[in-house]
Amino acid sequence: MYAERVAGLKSSAIREILKITARPEVISFAGGLPAPELFPVKDISDAAQKLFLKYGSTVLQYSITEGILPLREKIASGFHSDTGTIGADNVLITQGSQQGLDLLSKLFIDKGSVIFTENPSYLGALQSFQLFRGDIVPIASDENGIRPNDLLERLRRKRPALLYLMPNFQNPSGSSLSLERRRKLIEIVSSHDLIVIEDDPYGELLFKGERLPSLFALGGSRNFIYMSSFSKTVAPGLRVAYVLADEEIISKLVIIKQGTDLQTNTIGQYLVDEYLESGKYFTHIENLRKMYALRRDCMLSAMKRHFPEAVTWNCPSGGMFLWVKLPEGEDARRLLDRCLRRNVAFVPGQEFFPDGSGENTIRLNFSNASIEKIEEGIGRMGEVMRETFL
Ligand SMILES: Cc1ncc(COP(=O)(O)O)c(C=O)c1O
């Protein structure tokens, strides 16, 4: 009765964990949620009032599939992200980046198409690629991102329809692609003429140092498609994100989007545009960076005090996630069962590995819990770890 493509579909394990963590007594490091107390509620509500005065009923009307022009112009000029030199015709506004992934999957993936990803990678992207029956091939990755030599090795045997990467503070591990690897990757991509999706919802959340240039800015729109979102920088409920690409790719995505939802919600786009226009975005981002860095530092310090010595972790310089490694042979899912009994939750890292490895890894979100909850939750996790494998 159902289409072939839905035969192997299963609900993501993360969604199942998130159902449990909705209980108020649970301290959750499981979701990927921004901090709601830091949403710019007052400024967004001021922007709403202003835009109704300014545009009236236009804000409630259908608008074009590409997205409203003032917002596309701001994005093209690098207002929100590191975009290189492009025009409004290189921009498509999408209903969240998740829709960008869906549209790009529809454009590039046939049954059996090969998609190279980092290992681990973002679950929402994997789900989208799988829905279109892509064959996901994970490439070895470490704290500096995907390993160029492993990519080259794979390319000797397979030609992918897509290479999907998150170069900044990736979900789940928080790692970033080093500048040296970015350069090497550009060489490999252009010599093999690959299509790369650069998914960058966390790049703006940089805690210190210089922002590394995007692959799109370095390598250009022949081989690179860039995506970012206002979900993590302003608010996810707006569902406003964008794809930057070559005009031909954008025009095909526009046709696909017409068949999907006609357009991204008009009011959300105007709200984001008016908020950017107000200039308050920049102070908001500064504040977010400061607050998230504080939470990351608090989590690092609590882990140092509470976790057994055999447990290790990284220190991402931005984003929303930390990556923890349990001793070899330990199972993070078993630890999760015990932690849930103590009302603290996280996501076992194995969920994010297309090759099923990473049994002893954990993703911890630090953006969504208060300093007090981080201290309490990490303390509880430390106790359970000591009971479980010491
Ligand atoms: C890497 C990555 N891409 C895309 C998304 C989807 O974001 P949205 O649809 O809210 O823009 C997320 C959300 O967590 C993400 O982590």
Side-chain angles (χ1 to χ4, degrees):
M1 154 168 106
Y2 300 119
E4 255 180 65
R5 81 174 75 85
V6 299
L9 285 192
K10 54 182 179 16
S11 162
S12 117
I14 297 194
R15 297 271 149 218
E16 298 306 314
I17 297 169
L18 291 181
K19 274 189 213 157
I20 302 172
T21 61
R23 297 200 314 254
E25 66 276 19
V26 176
I27 296 179
S28 176
F29 307 127
L33 305 184
E37 66 279 14
L38 301 179
F39 289 153
V41 175
K42 164 89 173 53
D43 293 337
I44 292 281
S45 116
D46 288 351
Q49 293 205 350
K50 252 199 213 142
L51 70 92
F52 276 106
L53 287 174
K54 211 154 130 186
Y55 302 106
S57 57
T58 308
V59 173
L60 299 175
Q61 186 56 286
Y62 283 115
S63 62
I64 58 172
T65 306
E66 287 83 346
I68 62 166
L69 187 62
L71 182 57
R72 282 188 295 129
E73 281 175 343
K74 283 191 184 64
I75 290 166
S77 69
F79 209 90
H80 178 253
S81 216
D82 162 32
T83 54
T85 38
I86 51 163
D89 290 343
N90 299 102
V91 185
L92 171 68
I93 309 289
T94 57
Q95 189 95 320
S97 275
Q98 193 61 39
Q99 182 180 58
L101 290 167
D102 175 71
L103 301 177
L104 287 164
S105 298
K106 286 173 177 161
L107 182 58
F108 287 106
I109 302 178
D110 283 317
K111 185 176 173 185
S113 296
V114 172
I115 299 116
F116 285 0
T117 66
E118 290 155 278
N119 196 35
S121 186
Y122 169 54
L123 213 59
L126 300 178
Q127 275 184 322
S128 180
F129 302 153
Q130 279 157 350
L131 182 61
F132 295 96
R133 315 200 77 190
D135 180 10
I136 291 164
V137 176
I139 310 288
S141 314
D142 58 29
E143 63 282 3
N144 290 315
I146 195 164
R147 293 203 202 137
N149 288 342
D150 291 77
L151 174 62
L152 276 172
E153 181 55 36
R154 278 287 180 182
L155 282 167
R156 277 188 205 111
R157 285 175 279 150
K158 279 193 161 134
R159 183 174 170 79
L162 287 172
L163 166 59
Y164 170 73
L165 297 174
M166 289 160 278
N168 296 315
F169 324 122
Q170 74 119 253
N171 182 0
S173 75
S175 70
S176 294
L177 189 65
S178 66
L179 184 57
E180 198 190 328
R181 285 199 187 170
R182 283 176 203 234
R183 296 231 156 90
K184 182 82 195 148
L185 206 100
I186 303 281
E187 265 173 49
I188 299 173
V189 166
S190 67
S191 64
H192 289 77
D193 207 16
L194 306 177
I195 302 284
V196 180
I197 299 178
E198 178 179 21
D199 190 3
D200 188 27
Y202 304 103
E204 292 271 288
L205 302 175
L206 167 75
F207 302 155
K208 74 173 191 334
E210 286 280 304
R211 189 165 176 170
L212 292 179
S214 67
L215 297 171
F216 183 80
L218 285 174
S221 64
R222 175 179 167 86
N223 299 101
F224 293 91
I225 298 166
Y226 179 92
M227 299 174 37
S228 190
S229 171
F230 292 95
S231 287
K232 306 303 192 306
T233 52
V234 184
L238 291 164
R239 309 309 299 136
V240 179
Y242 54 91
V243 178
L244 308 181
D246 179 75
E247 280 180 40
E248 186 182 311
I249 291 180
I250 293 290
S251 65
K252 291 199 184 306
L253 290 173
V254 166
I255 298 170
I256 297 171
K257 187 169 161 66
Q258 280 163 1
T260 303
D261 67 348
L262 300 181
Q263 58 155 112
T264 298
N265 76 95
T266 315
I267 192 162
Q269 297 185 62
Y270 273 105
L271 268 176
V272 170
D273 183 62
E274 191 61 36
Y275 180 60
L276 294 180
E277 189 71 39
S278 74
K280 298 202 168 133
Y281 171 77
F282 296 105
T283 40
H284 169 65
I285 281 292
E286 276 310 314
N287 187 43
L288 268 190
R289 289 175 179 150
K290 221 169 52 206
M291 298 304 285
Y292 285 177
L294 207 72
R295 289 178 186 197
R296 176 206 58 180
D297 290 344
C298 168
M299 192 172 264
L300 288 171
S301 139
M303 290 195 298
K304 202 159 173 220
R305 281 176 284 113
H306 297 293
F307 284 5
E309 250 180 41
V311 176
T312 58
W313 52 86
N314 64 355
C315 173
S317 48
M320 302 187 354
F321 303 105
L322 276 172
W323 193 240
V324 175
K325 278 199 179 125
L326 304 178
E328 262 335 300
E330 293 296 340
D331 183 352
R333 284 175 306 186
R334 203 161 63 102
L335 189 75
L336 175 65
D337 288 339
R338 296 182 180 208
C339 281
L340 286 176
R341 278 183 239 141
R342 301 286 306 276
N343 285 333
V344 59
F346 57 82
V347 181
Q350 194 173 21
E351 301 298 331
F352 306 99
F353 286 84
D355 67 359
S357 63
E359 203 185 43
N360 64 328
T361 59
I362 286 176
R363 185 188 78 173
L364 289 181
N365 166 262
F366 55 78
S367 60
N368 188 244
S370 66
I371 302 282
E372 296 72 28
K373 290 225 160 129
I374 290 175
E375 179 61 35
E376 172 65 28
I378 294 293
R380 283 187 213 169
M381 278 182 74
E383 279 169 29
V384 178
M385 283 177 182
R386 288 176 194 284
E387 290 159 19
T388 312
F389 47 79
L390 271 192

